[in-house]
Amino acid sequence: MFRTFFVAFMLLLAAKVSAQVVDDFSDGDFTNNPTWFGTTADFIVNSSQQLQLNNTVTATSYLSTPHNLPDLNAKEWRVWAKQSFSPSSSNYGRVYLTADNADLTLVQNGYYLQFGEANAIDAIRLFKIQGGVATQLCTGVDGQIANSFTVRVKVKRDAVGNWSLFADLSGGQNFILQGTANDPGSLTGTHFGVLDTYTSSNANKFFYDDIYIGNESIDNQPPILNSATANSPTQVDVFFNESLDPTSAQNAINYSINPNISISSATLDPLNTSLIHLTTGTALTNGTSYSLTTTNISDISSNVSGNQTVNFQYLIAESVLPGDVIINEFFPDPTPVIGLPEVEFVEIYNKSNKILNLTGWKIGDASSDGTIANSWLLPGEYKVLTASANIPAFTTTLAIGVTSFPSLNNAADDVILKDNLGQIIDKLSFTDEWYGDEDKKNGGYSLELINPNDPCSDSDNWIASTWILGGTPGFLNSVFNPLVDVDGPEIDFVLASSPNYLEFHFNEGMDSLSLVLCSLTFNPELTVQNRFIPEEFPSTMLVQFNESLVPSQLYTYNINPILDCWGNGIGWNGEFVLPENPETGDVIINEILQNPLNGGQDWIELYNNSDKVINLKDWQFANFEGDTIANFKSIANNYLLQPKDYVVVGEDSNFVKQNYPFAIPGKFLFSEMPSYNNDSGTVYLIYNAEIIDKVSYLDEWHFDLLDNTDGVSLERIDPKGESSSSFNWHSAAEDIGFATPGRVNSQFRPAVSNGEISFTEDILSPDNDGHQDVLQINYNLTNSGLLGKAQIYDDRGRLIKTIFTNELLGSFGTFSWDGTTNQHVKASIGVYLLVFEVFSTDGGVFFTEQKGFTLAGKL
């Protein structure tokens, strides 16, 4: 008797255990535990351990397995399903909860889920089929699976035939009641299965997983409050993790919002029964944080929750204007690593009092844009924008991902911030000169904005970060300085251009309206025809006159009042001149320092030998290398060289001023220079592809008695003399410090043209053979009663012979030299220079001329 009872008990237990099917395909196949039958060649278990249709042609395929359910009372079915296409009448899936035939194409009785249908009303639908006729029992919302979808579905049937259809449309475990129906029929059937109808293009796009068939799971957990979202000043949506009992969910007394928000009603969403719409009696305030508390909320299984609280903010995006959000820091060169993540980023800052949503905003450079992820930007808040894949590199929660983040060039690029409508909110064009530090520009340091309140921020408002890590993404900048500018603007310079233009250059951004309205007066009088103002806060203004400007004419101007972009006002007076185009010889090379002191650099002094005002911008220096003119270096800045004035061009004016006491401040112009050899070389001065002056120098041109010529300049003697004549150059005098940068040369000796001299013959051979034994010199002067001096120098600039000094001269005459020196010896064969100077009786220079000749002889 006991044996019979025990066997019966075990058979009953086995039946109950076997009346459950669970398959997540983690064993990698569908042929065992449980065993599936059907068109098995059309299915695989993929690498994600999901059952997947794997065909190539148009067909209908199915798999089924016995469910072993003795009845359908208190039973539950769960399945995960995915279709990677938009369903249609030719492409849909079915999941048979129970079927009367293992061949699902021949089912006459049972229940199934339908995924897909004609038109765009596709919904998850539960059908009963009896005698081959299908009847819909309940359904989800039309259109919920009209496109490619991933869902998890749960179906329950109780003991009296009440069916409940649940789904999580994200494929998760938060099931929402989709529909209910009552059907107490007993179409128990024998098999569970999936059936796919498809065209060839979708023959591998059906997926199934996590199948459960068995007794109903008992819900004994109260609903969980997930979140709250404010949609308007008077509506808050409350989300739970499961469907709710309508009575408790719609009782407004079960909800409270702090601070100080009353609730007038609670309405359960008719489609999503885990969602409640609260209507408030008090309007929410934009940008304010709130807490929502719920109590006594029941799910459909009568589980009641206690007090639960979530926080939320009421955020409504406001309209943005350019300048509301600014680029506050950026990191174009993250290598080498100093302390920041080795990834590029751009930090933005909301300097307005507006609440902004960044959805659809763009961050870009000169060539491409990236899309900023959905995020709110509150007043005074920073966000760090970087490539989405780089978000884990940042510890700050303010990092926001950007799809297709632009790759910023290290040396120079644009950084552009746009809103969702394409409006430029902020833009900058940077170069690596912005770092202000030769070491930091090589990488690892960000560029930080100094003053975010500067209304006309430019390159002067940016500098390399001083923070120990190399930057401050998401935090106050290390160089932050909020000081307000209280100083009036200044005019750096004005530049006239032909035929009738004048350009004002200011030292800071200006208020454009003040430039439009300011008074402009000129002397000699000029009439303003147009004012060209390039932007809202310009640093330049171009004025066009009705009259043409007269070259080299001095004009004065008065401009008043003008305001900078901070609102500081001032009036300004000044002068300007229209420069003229130069001709060869107008500007000359006047002094050369090609062998500088230790630590110094080469420099060249220019002299304006004309009556013109000449702009040196774009003039070039070059040297001679490889049998050609080479190594061109251009003057980048405007510089007006006045008539008969000097300017020193080089790379280190401070060194020159410190080492040459007679240097004139204000006569220096920075420019990169070619390298000039110490012993010999050629200095080319070029404008508009024309050689304006050229000096081919030798170190031997220096005074022969100098032991050391380091730091000694070569000075031009006569501005009108030949540029490459050794007789026209000499070492600068020792008593003025061996150079005269920016002033008249210590060796200056100009030619005065109040007469002329000539040689009877320019060759002398003092060998007493009766031929060319003396050099005969003839002179003609415009006046008589003058004092004269005649001297002979050799080709190294040494005095050889003083023929006479302070000799009274007539208006014309002749004198000679016999070839002997002051030491009464015969001079050596070579080239010599006669220097003839004539003075008035009061000591003034009346006439001077230099003339070369040759002393010949037998070798």
Side-chain angles (χ1 to χ4, degrees):
M1 178 68 179
F2 175 77
R3 178 183 177 87
T4 302
F5 174 77
F6 178 75
V7 171
F9 174 77
M10 293 303 293
L11 290 173
L12 178 61
L13 179 62
K16 287 186 175 292
V17 171
S18 63
Q20 176 175 289
V21 175
V22 177
D23 201 347
D24 62 4
F25 305 101
S26 58
D27 57 1
D29 75 282
F30 53 84
T31 60
N32 291 291
N33 192 31
T35 301
W36 295 78
F37 306 93
T39 55
T40 56
D42 296 345
F43 290 88
I44 61 169
V45 175
N46 62 26
S47 59
S48 299
Q49 297 183 327
Q50 300 162 343
L51 182 66
Q52 180 181 356
L53 181 67
N54 190 39
N55 205 353
T56 58
V57 297
T58 299
T60 295
S61 302
Y62 74 92
L63 289 178
S64 67
T65 187
H67 59 57
N68 299 318
L69 296 176
D71 56 55
L72 303 183
N73 294 330
K75 296 299 182 288
E76 182 175 318
W77 296 261
R78 296 194 298 271
V79 62
W80 178 90
K82 174 182 176 181
Q83 292 177 189
S84 300
F85 57 88
S86 297
S88 67
S89 59
S90 302
N91 293 274
Y92 61 87
R94 284 183 182 176
V95 175
Y96 278 88
L97 307 180
T98 182
D100 63 358
N101 198 314
D103 184 345
L104 299 185
T105 65
L106 302 175
V107 175
Q108 294 296 301
N109 299 285
Y111 297 91
Y112 64 87
L113 294 169
Q114 178 90 7
F115 298 95
E117 57 197 280
N119 301 319
I121 60 172
D122 308 73
I124 303 169
R125 303 184 190 276
L126 176 62
F127 283 88
K128 169 186 177 180
I129 183 170
Q130 187 171 18
V133 177
T135 304
Q136 178 176 293
L137 297 182
C138 59
T139 180
V141 179
D142 284 354
Q144 66 185 174
I145 57 170
N147 299 305
S148 175
F149 65 85
T150 300
V151 299
R152 194 181 298 270
V153 179
K154 178 170 68 174
V155 178
K156 290 185 176 184
R157 182 189 188 276
D158 66 16
V160 294
N162 292 316
W163 292 80
S164 299
L165 173 63
F166 300 84
D168 184 334
L169 297 176
S170 68
Q173 300 283 353
N174 292 325
F175 293 104
I176 303 301
L177 183 65
Q178 303 295 308
T180 60
N182 181 265
D183 182 70
S186 57
L187 304 176
T188 304
T190 58
H191 285 74
F192 173 93
V194 297
L195 179 143
D196 300 327
T197 297
Y198 51 88
T199 57
S200 58
S201 60
N202 297 317
N204 61 350
K205 298 180 180 178
F206 292 79
F207 306 83
Y208 302 95
D209 202 358
D210 298 335
I211 293 170
Y212 171 83
I213 310 156
N215 292 326
E216 179 182 8
S217 59
I218 303 303
D219 178 9
N220 55 14
Q221 297 296 317
I224 297 173
L225 175 61
N226 283 339
S227 64
T229 302
N231 294 326
S232 76
T234 57
Q235 181 172 316
V236 178
D237 284 351
V238 183
F239 297 87
F240 285 83
N241 71 324
E242 59 178 319
S243 295
L244 303 176
D245 165 60
T247 301
S248 65
Q250 297 186 118
N251 188 349
I253 201 172
N254 291 338
Y255 306 88
S256 63
I257 298 176
N258 285 308
N260 303 321
I261 299 296
S262 63
I263 299 171
S264 58
S265 67
T267 304
L268 190 66
D269 190 276
L271 302 179
N272 182 354
T273 53
S274 67
L275 167 63
I276 304 95
H277 305 292
L278 298 181
T279 300
T280 66
T282 310
L284 303 174
T285 302
N286 197 13
T288 303
S289 296
Y290 296 94
S291 63
L292 167 73
T293 300
T294 66
T295 188
N296 295 326
I297 303 298
S298 175
D299 63 16
I300 58 177
S301 298
S302 299
N303 300 301
V304 180
S305 68
N307 286 352
Q308 300 183 84
T309 300
V310 293
N311 296 321
F312 69 95
Q313 282 184 301
Y314 175 51
L315 298 174
I316 298 297
E318 300 175 75
S319 297
V320 64
L321 294 174
D324 284 345
V325 181
I326 60 173
I327 298 163
N328 195 58
E329 182 180 2
F330 60 99
F331 194 35
D333 188 2
T335 305
V337 173
I338 303 300
L340 295 174
E342 196 174 6
V343 297
E344 295 183 8
F345 68 81
V346 175
E347 178 192 81
I348 58 176
Y349 171 66
N350 184 354
K351 61 180 291 187
S352 74
N353 59 359
K354 299 176 182 178
I355 295 170
L356 304 170
N357 192 298
L358 300 180
T359 301
W361 285 41
K362 306 282 187 180
I363 188 71
D365 62 2
S367 59
S368 65
D369 288 334
T371 302
I372 302 171
N374 182 22
S375 178
W376 289 94
L377 184 61
L378 303 182
E381 188 176 32
Y382 302 95
K383 292 293 184 184
V384 180
L385 310 179
T386 190
S388 299
N390 296 333
I391 292 296
F394 291 87
T395 57
T396 176
T397 58
L398 299 176
I400 303 298
V402 176
T403 57
S404 302
F405 186 86
S407 177
L408 301 175
N409 297 325
N410 294 347
D413 207 342
D414 294 344
V415 185
I416 308 169
L417 179 67
K418 302 177 184 177
D419 68 5
N420 59 315
L421 301 177
Q423 176 184 213
I424 294 178
I425 303 303
D426 195 18
K427 176 182 178 180
L428 56 87
S429 298
F430 73 92
T431 73
D432 56 11
E433 296 301 318
W434 286 23
Y435 288 92
D437 188 298
E438 288 300 314
D439 292 329
K440 291 182 179 181
K441 71 187 287 187
N442 292 323
Y445 290 86
S446 71
L447 281 163
E448 293 184 347
L449 188 68
I450 298 171
N451 189 346
N453 299 315
D454 189 339
C456 49
S457 179
D458 55 18
S459 60
D460 293 335
N461 202 28
W462 289 88
I463 199 168
S465 174
T466 59
W467 188 238
I468 190 172
L469 298 180
T472 56
F475 300 95
L476 186 71
N477 286 349
S478 62
V479 300
F480 174 73
N481 184 348
L483 292 180
V484 175
D485 177 10
V486 296
D487 297 325
E490 297 180 5
I491 295 177
D492 282 339
F493 65 93
V494 294
L495 182 66
S497 57
S498 182
N500 58 343
Y501 293 96
L502 181 65
E503 189 169 37
F504 288 87
H505 289 255
F506 305 99
N507 70 329
E508 59 180 315
M510 302 294 291
D511 174 65
S512 55
L513 183 60
S514 76
L515 298 183
V516 171
L517 299 177
C518 69
S519 168
L520 278 168
T521 58
F522 302 90
N523 186 24
E525 186 175 353
L526 295 169
T527 308
V528 175
Q529 182 184 124
N530 289 304
R531 307 183 193 202
F532 300 97
I533 300 168
E535 53 191 339
E536 184 180 6
F537 299 117
S539 59
T540 62
M541 176 176 69
L542 181 66
V543 174
Q544 182 183 22
F545 302 110
N546 287 327
E547 304 85 1
S548 293
L549 297 173
V550 178
S552 296
Q553 164 75 56
L554 179 64
Y555 293 87
T556 62
Y557 68 85
N558 175 269
I559 181 171
N560 186 54
I562 51 175
L563 306 178
D564 63 18
C565 56
W566 292 87
N568 303 306
I570 200 169
W572 202 269
N573 298 308
E575 301 174 343
F576 67 91
V577 174
L578 175 64
E580 297 187 58
N581 291 325
E583 298 176 358
T584 301
D586 282 350
V587 177
I588 61 168
I589 299 164
N590 197 56
E591 190 171 359
I592 301 172
L593 195 284
Q594 89 285 5
N595 184 12
L597 294 169
N598 186 35
Q601 302 198 41
D602 297 352
W603 52 264
I604 305 294
E605 181 189 76
L606 302 180
Y607 174 68
N608 186 346
N609 201 30
S610 73
D611 294 324
K612 305 173 182 176
V613 175
I614 296 174
N615 191 349
L616 296 182
K617 186 177 187 297
D618 298 326
W619 284 53
Q620 294 178 305
F621 289 93
N623 59 17
F624 194 78
E625 184 177 285
D627 296 326
T628 188
I629 302 175
N631 302 312
F632 294 85
K633 301 295 183 182
S634 297
I635 297 174
N637 298 318
N638 291 291
Y639 186 93
L640 299 186
L641 185 60
Q642 300 295 322
K644 313 305 179 186
D645 201 4
Y646 305 85
V647 65
V648 180
V649 185
E651 299 182 37
D652 191 350
S653 61
N654 288 332
F655 185 89
V656 178
K657 295 172 189 175
Q658 291 167 3
N659 287 275
Y660 296 100
F662 286 85
I664 303 298
K667 300 292 185 181
F668 288 83
L669 174 61
F670 172 83
S671 177
E672 293 184 352
M673 300 292 286
S675 178
Y676 294 108
N677 295 330
N678 293 349
D679 54 352
S680 65
T682 301
V683 181
Y684 289 91
L685 180 63
I686 301 170
Y687 177 71
N688 200 23
E690 181 181 356
I691 297 174
I692 303 299
D693 196 14
K694 179 188 79 170
V695 176
S696 297
Y697 63 86
L698 295 170
D699 189 58
E700 285 78 4
W701 290 5
H702 278 293
F703 183 44
D704 190 53
L705 296 183
L706 287 176
D707 295 328
N708 184 0
T709 59
D710 290 356
V712 180
S713 74
L714 282 169
E715 292 186 334
R716 192 175 187 132
I717 297 171
D718 182 4
K720 296 186 181 298
E722 294 185 19
S723 293
S724 291
S725 170
S726 62
F727 297 115
N728 200 30
W729 291 87
H730 198 277
S731 302
E734 181 177 3
D735 61 355
I736 50 83
F738 290 115
T740 54
R743 65 187 304 154
V744 63
N745 288 345
S746 63
Q747 304 295 350
F748 173 69
R749 188 188 301 124
V752 180
S753 299
N754 289 324
E756 62 177 359
I757 62 171
S758 63
F759 299 140
T760 303
E761 293 184 88
D762 59 2
I763 296 178
L764 165 68
S765 58
D767 52 8
N768 206 31
D769 63 353
H771 178 65
Q772 298 178 332
D773 287 335
V774 296
L775 178 73
Q776 185 171 330
I777 304 108
N778 310 302
Y779 67 87
N780 280 288
L781 304 173
T782 57
N783 287 1
S784 59
L786 303 170
L787 301 177
K789 181 169 69 172
Q791 294 177 307
I792 306 294
Y793 292 83
D794 67 9
D795 60 355
R796 301 180 68 180
R798 296 175 298 188
L799 178 63
I800 300 300
K801 177 72 173 182
T802 298
I803 301 173
F804 55 78
T805 183
N806 291 328
E807 182 165 332
L808 185 64
L809 303 176
S811 60
F812 63 91
T814 299
F815 60 93
S816 63
W817 179 49
D818 60 4
T820 61
T821 70
N822 287 335
Q823 286 73 37
H824 307 291
V825 298
K826 181 180 177 182
S828 302
I829 295 172
V831 177
Y832 290 84
L833 181 72
L834 167 69
V835 178
F836 181 52
E837 297 174 286
V838 179
F839 306 93
S840 61
T841 54
D842 61 2
V845 176
F846 182 80
F847 169 72
T848 179
E849 188 167 347
Q850 304 170 25
K851 205 168 187 68
F853 61 93
T854 302
L855 192 153
K858 297 178 180 179
L859 298 176

